[in-house]
Amino acid sequence: MLAFTVLIVATLPRYVPQYTPISSISRMLDSLAPWILVVYFLIVVFLFVLRALRHGIVFLLLGVLSGGNTYLDHHALSLPSVPDADPELRVLFFNVFNNNAAFADRIATRVLEMDPDVIAFAEGRGMYPAIRRLEQRYQRLTDCGFQDCQLLIYSKIAPRRAWTLNLNIFADGRYAVLELPSPTDRPRFVVFNHLVKAWMEGVTESELARLASQYDWLAGDVVALGDFNAAPWAHHIQGLLRKTGFRAQRKPVGTWPSALGALGVPIDQVLVHGRTRIVSAKPFGAGLGSNHRGLIVDLAYPAPES
């Protein structure tokens, strides 16, 4: 019964639609499916130790089926990196954590060492003690106040245009777009977004609908980075990918909680569209006071095969 219960918890949430009695709890659990399956397989091992061989074999096969199905769904809506391509753009996203001002100078030093072309800090209030250091090298593109700084964005490349929008009723300016110069006739966009918690039923749906419509408006080569507060295989993120044609990173980076390092849940993600491809995506910000790890992403725009 324990094995069966854990298997249901690992498998069912991804298939639960919104506005059902268990949809909120399902949105809490579907991002954790791989970790719940690890617990499940430990129980299966215990069944073999108890010599319940038939039960062990059946539950082992069911677990493999559950995990395999999650992987196949993610595989279909993701793209592998292209490590042999020449990087053309470096972008950094980091959820600083609002009350992290004590680490601002250390974060700025690390950022300047990485030398990205475009930077976005979510919960950017924590960076205020160091903004003058950053502005010696970068142009600040968002005008956010100290008390309510949702996305603090800098760029070395002068954008053709840049703008912000509100995705939800709780926090302003959690969606930002930069259109960068392009050597081709195809526009290049860099998008940053910070979504609400996945279990906030009634807000999540409207926010994702607004985000999908904004993504659809961006015709060209696009990279979207941000704190999605959900893993790429979660129910509503899979729906977003199907609707928009954006694709997740095939091997996502664990980002939350930062204390788990590479074993963390990849709720901070990078999505691509059009010709945009990920050359590499590495964690950023370990030991810098935030409960998130960020992402430092190198991008390429390879021409289509003839």
Side-chain angles (χ1 to χ4, degrees):
M1 287 300 297
L2 178 61
F4 182 75
T5 301
V6 176
L7 179 64
I8 291 298
V9 172
T11 306
L12 182 62
R14 291 201 316 114
Y15 301 99
V16 174
Q18 296 300 103
Y19 299 116
T20 63
I22 61 171
S23 54
S24 290
I25 188 68
S26 295
R27 297 296 80 82
M28 293 181 189
L29 294 173
D30 54 5
S31 291
L32 300 176
W35 290 262
I36 298 171
L37 275 176
V38 170
V39 175
Y40 171 79
F41 282 119
L42 292 175
I43 297 171
V44 172
V45 170
F46 189 62
L47 287 175
F48 281 105
V49 171
L50 294 177
R51 300 193 179 186
L53 298 183
R54 278 188 289 183
H55 286 87
I57 291 171
V58 169
F59 280 114
L60 177 63
L61 293 175
L62 289 174
V64 170
L65 182 63
S66 174
N69 195 52
T70 300
Y71 172 77
L72 289 176
D73 284 347
H74 171 66
H75 187 278
L77 296 172
S78 62
L79 290 172
S81 61
V82 288
D84 295 331
D86 293 327
E88 300 176 55
L89 184 71
R90 173 169 283 190
V91 184
L92 184 146
F93 173 84
F94 184 41
N95 188 330
V96 175
F97 184 56
N98 274 327
N99 299 321
N100 197 23
F103 284 85
D105 274 318
R106 278 189 258 179
I107 295 169
T109 297
R110 192 80 59 86
V111 168
L112 293 172
E113 290 172 351
M114 301 301 296
D115 194 31
D117 299 299
V118 183
I119 305 163
F121 298 113
E123 299 189 27
R125 188 176 73 187
M127 287 303 299
Y128 258 70
I131 58 174
R132 291 192 177 182
R133 288 186 60 197
L134 293 168
E135 289 171 4
Q136 290 175 0
R137 187 183 300 182
Y138 292 91
Q139 176 187 1
R140 180 152 62 114
L141 298 177
T142 51
D143 187 21
C144 55
F146 175 74
Q147 291 300 325
D148 187 27
C149 186
Q150 298 296 332
L151 284 175
L152 184 58
I153 298 175
Y154 294 92
S155 179
K156 287 196 302 185
I157 303 169
R160 289 180 174 174
R161 51 182 173 159
W163 66 93
T164 61
L165 290 171
N166 301 335
L167 293 177
N168 62 67
I169 61 174
F170 296 106
D172 296 340
R174 281 191 165 196
Y175 176 83
V177 181
L178 283 65
E179 182 181 354
L180 300 182
S182 171
T184 71
D185 58 352
R186 292 176 59 84
R188 288 185 179 177
F189 295 100
V190 178
V191 179
F192 300 105
N193 46 248
H194 185 185
L195 305 188
V196 298
K197 301 292 190 294
W199 47 263
M200 295 178 67
E201 192 169 76
V203 179
T204 297
E205 296 81 8
S206 61
E207 182 179 65
L208 285 172
R210 184 170 294 181
L211 185 64
S213 67
Q214 293 300 318
Y215 279 3
D216 283 339
W217 187 85
L218 300 171
D221 301 322
V222 190
V223 58
L225 297 95
D227 179 357
F228 287 79
N229 269 305
W233 52 79
H235 171 86
H236 60 301
I237 301 299
Q238 294 259 299
L240 176 70
L241 298 174
R242 291 190 183 97
K243 287 178 183 177
T244 62
F246 277 64
R247 291 296 176 258
Q249 184 184 0
R250 180 66 50 82
K251 295 181 179 179
V253 177
T255 63
W256 180 89
S258 58
L260 290 182
L263 297 178
V265 185
I267 67 173
D268 302 88
Q269 299 182 44
V270 51
L271 311 180
V272 295
H273 189 269
R275 298 179 188 174
T276 312
R277 293 296 180 269
I278 300 168
V279 178
S280 68
K282 299 176 182 177
F284 171 88
L288 292 178
S290 176
N291 59 347
H292 287 248
R293 297 200 302 173
L295 296 168
I296 181 79
V297 182
D298 287 325
L299 299 160
Y301 300 85
E305 295 181 1
S306 56

